[in-house]
Amino acid sequence: MSERLEELTAKANNKGVDAAVAAARRVIASLLHAGDGSDAEMTEVADRLNAVADYLDEHAPGVEERMIDMWRGEGVTRHDPVTGPENAIAPPLPLTGKDDGSIEGVVVLGMPYQGPPGFVHGGVSALLLDHTLGVANAWGGPSGMTAELTLRYHRPTPLFEPLTVTGRQISVDGRKIRTTGTISAGGELCVSAEGLFIAKHLPRPR
Amino acid sequence: MSERLEELTAKANNKGVDAAVAAARRVIASLLHAGDGSDAEMTEVADRLNAVADYLDEHAPGVEERMIDMWRGEGVTRHDPVTGPENAIAPPLPLTGKDDGSIEGVVVLGMPYQGPPGFVHGGVSALLLDHTLGVANAWGGPSGMTAELTLRYHRPTPLFEPLTVTGRQISVDGRKIRTTGTISAGGELCVSAEGLFIAKHLPRPR
């Protein structure tokens, strides 16, 4: 019997806005790689990027309309800062649901996510784990909003290497949901997380 | 006697790479505002952004050389994902040290930082607070690396409104440093954080 696997995060289309966002991610990393010592004409770069932003703004719906559109349906989000193919801040982290109720994803983080020299920012690990625990709830049982999140940092999390991110719902007691997660590199535990979630949701705009 | 205030985070130059990064932040937000329903020519946008990334890559130093350069000196970082003027992922959050040993900053977060509909992603609050606690250590006494971080979410943190972020070193016991922080909106506490830090640092590349 083959294991059931299910994609729990939005897949990039490689066209439309997703392709433009993928290119924007390249720009974010390239700006940081170039830095202030570069002989690139940064004023010209700024002009070119501002022109793109101006063009997009001319073709964007109003914020309210866009908010209703982005929250339409009940499926996975396409805009969040961890997995979203429409959000250039997202690495993005793809997450897959497994038969045993847990979820998992692999991601490589580059320079924009740096904290200590050569390692991932502790707050970025917190961002990834908070989101992963939320997705683990959606996969494993009832889901809700984060009430409390505790992160333990076991060893520095490396940049530029595949990181395995996991999440699993542990228990449900009335409206209280407990969920755990980890980030590992090369089989070694880097960060672990425990979250307490409350089974409630904010209304979607409509 | 006037209160002593000190800027603890890098100030954007409004020229050079900082101006280009500010424009890249506009692009990130504009892509998300436009979304897939926009009639913008996204293939053309992707081409324009990829061309900018190609140009920057041609004028970037090697990763090793750049890492040495970005960690030169002992001052504030310009590349981190919370305060860095060279990092388009950073909102950025400016932080100021106060006479009483605490630090504070105000930031408005837009759509790229969204979690629940209309509110800040809980993991983004964790990212901001982890970094703020680190800067509070640098201001208040010995600093170190995060060993444990606990976040409590008291109420949803609004997008598009000024958020006050605070941090304060509470105690130092040998190498153990305890630090707290908060995010508030309109005078109401949204998120609080407690961190345990260990007084050690990873070596800077050279």
Side-chain angles (χ1 to χ4, degrees), chain A residues 170-184:
Chain A
I170 296 297
S171 69
V172 180
D173 177 13
R175 293 175 69 203
K176 288 187 179 177
I177 302 161
R178 292 188 189 273
T179 314
T180 60
T182 60
I183 299 178
S184 320

Side-chain angles (χ1 to χ4, degrees), chain A residues 70-126:
Chain A
M70 79 178 16
W71 288 103
R72 205 182 296 280
E74 297 297 323
V76 296
T77 54
R78 295 186 55 78
H79 62 263
D80 70 79
V82 176
T83 75
E86 296 183 8
N87 191 333
I89 285 179
L93 170 66
L95 290 167
T96 307
K98 304 206 293 185
D99 257 353
D100 66 3
S102 72
I103 68 167
E104 193 173 296
V106 175
V107 70
V108 174
L109 299 177
M111 230 182 247
Y113 305 96
Q114 186 177 217
F119 293 93
V120 176
H121 194 289
V124 169
S125 297

Side-chain angles (χ1 to χ4, degrees), chain A residues 32 54 57 59 66 149 151, chain B residues 26 30 32 39 66 151:
Chain A
L32 201 48
D54 289 343
D57 289 350
H59 294 267
R66 174 65 177 133
L149 180 69
L151 299 137
Chain B
R26 282 194 61 208
S30 297
L32 202 48
D39 62 358
R66 173 64 176 133
L151 300 137

Side-chain angles (χ1 to χ4, degrees), chain B residues 163-198:
Chain B
L163 304 175
T164 301
V165 185
T166 69
R168 178 191 292 270
Q169 191 173 83
I170 296 297
S171 70
V172 180
D173 176 12
R175 294 173 72 205
K176 288 188 180 178
I177 302 162
R178 291 187 190 272
T179 314
T180 60
T182 60
I183 299 177
S184 320
E188 302 245 51
L189 179 64
C190 299
V191 189
S192 59
E194 280 178 45
L196 167 65
F197 296 80
I198 303 298

